[in-house]
Amino acid sequence: MNRVTMIRRLLPLAFLLPLSSSLASTFGAFQITPKGNQKINLETGLTELPSGGTAVDSKNGLTLVARRMSFKSGETLSASGVTLTIKDGGALVADTVTFDQRTGLLKASGHLSFKNAQISGLSADSVQIYSVQSAVVASGNVKARTPTLKASSIVVLGAGKQILVNGPYTLSSKNISYANARQGSHLLLSGDVATARPPASLLKPFTPFLK
């Protein structure tokens, strides 16, 4: 084997650089601490954490713990086996999570479960977290244990203090029940106050997250 051939065969290996687990990384506003070793591909810029790790966004109050993680600076972070906590005390468990650094949008899917001070035992087909606006949107077959809820989607704002339930929906709490079979109907929960058919002025903060 001549020297040129050897270099060509070894060159791809030079792009896969194993790094010590003690080295933290930065991805946008996230400070990432690996649980084990990490590998960085110098050619593509992709960093992989085969044993997962913890990503903390102190500015937006997000902490993500994952069994496996990969990320590319300026683009996307992907993680599996995720537990995510947000600054209002809310907690999300998901099979997979992707975070787009350019938009600040986090998407979760697979065996989802979410809870905060206002709602618990919530599941849905998908959950999106808008880190900049501190908004949580759950959509598709939304169900919750407390309060007892079924809806097409919900939007959580104000550190969990306001929840917009979007129909068709049914909701029961204590001795009060609400239901609306109409697509696009709304029920606004603000603390202990529920407003059926909220006016446009109350819906305005939720408008960017309604599709």
Side-chain angles (χ1 to χ4, degrees):
M1 181 185 300
N2 60 42
R3 185 171 180 272
V4 173
T5 302
M6 181 178 294
I7 291 174
R8 286 177 177 174
R9 291 188 177 183
L10 292 177
L11 188 58
L13 299 178
F15 290 119
L16 294 175
L17 179 65
L19 299 176
S20 167
S21 60
S22 62
L23 296 177
S25 304
T26 300
F27 177 82
F30 282 102
Q31 294 296 314
I32 300 174
T33 303
K35 185 177 180 180
N37 291 331
Q38 57 181 315
K39 295 187 296 183
I40 181 169
N41 189 312
L42 299 179
E43 184 176 27
T44 65
L46 180 69
T47 299
E48 296 181 86
L49 310 182
S51 300
T54 301
V56 179
D57 178 354
S58 300
K59 179 180 178 180
N60 295 306
L62 298 177
T63 299
L64 185 153
V65 180
R67 290 198 301 267
R68 189 178 183 90
M69 191 184 306
S70 64
F71 56 92
K72 186 175 181 181
S73 181
E75 295 186 14
T76 304
L77 179 149
S78 300
S80 58
V82 176
T83 299
L84 177 75
T85 56
I86 55 182
K87 62 184 176 183
D88 69 338
L92 171 69
V93 176
D95 287 345
T96 60
V97 160
T98 59
F99 177 78
D100 190 323
Q101 183 179 342
R102 292 160 292 192
T103 63
L105 176 61
L106 183 149
K107 296 181 180 180
S109 60
H111 296 91
L112 296 170
S113 177
F114 177 80
K115 66 177 181 179
N116 64 10
Q118 304 297 325
I119 195 166
S120 64
L122 185 142
S123 62
D125 290 342
S126 65
V127 172
Q128 297 182 341
I129 297 177
Y130 297 78
S131 58
V132 176
Q133 299 92 337
S134 297
V136 178
V137 180
S139 57
N141 299 308
V142 177
K143 299 178 182 178
R145 183 173 60 251
T146 306
T148 303
L149 167 70
K150 290 184 179 181
S152 62
S153 68
I154 68 168
V155 181
V156 182
L157 293 181
K161 295 177 182 177
Q162 288 190 311
I163 300 174
L164 184 67
V165 180
N166 304 302
Y169 68 80
T170 60
L171 182 146
S172 60
S173 178
K174 299 178 182 179
N175 297 319
I176 301 176
S177 296
Y178 301 89
N180 194 322
R182 185 171 60 86
Q183 188 74 33
S185 55
H186 304 294
L187 175 69
L188 178 60
L189 306 177
S190 299
D192 295 328
V193 178
T195 305
R197 298 180 181 178
S201 58
L202 294 181
L203 288 176
K204 187 175 181 180
F206 297 91
T207 301
F209 311 104
L210 297 176
K211 297 179 180 180

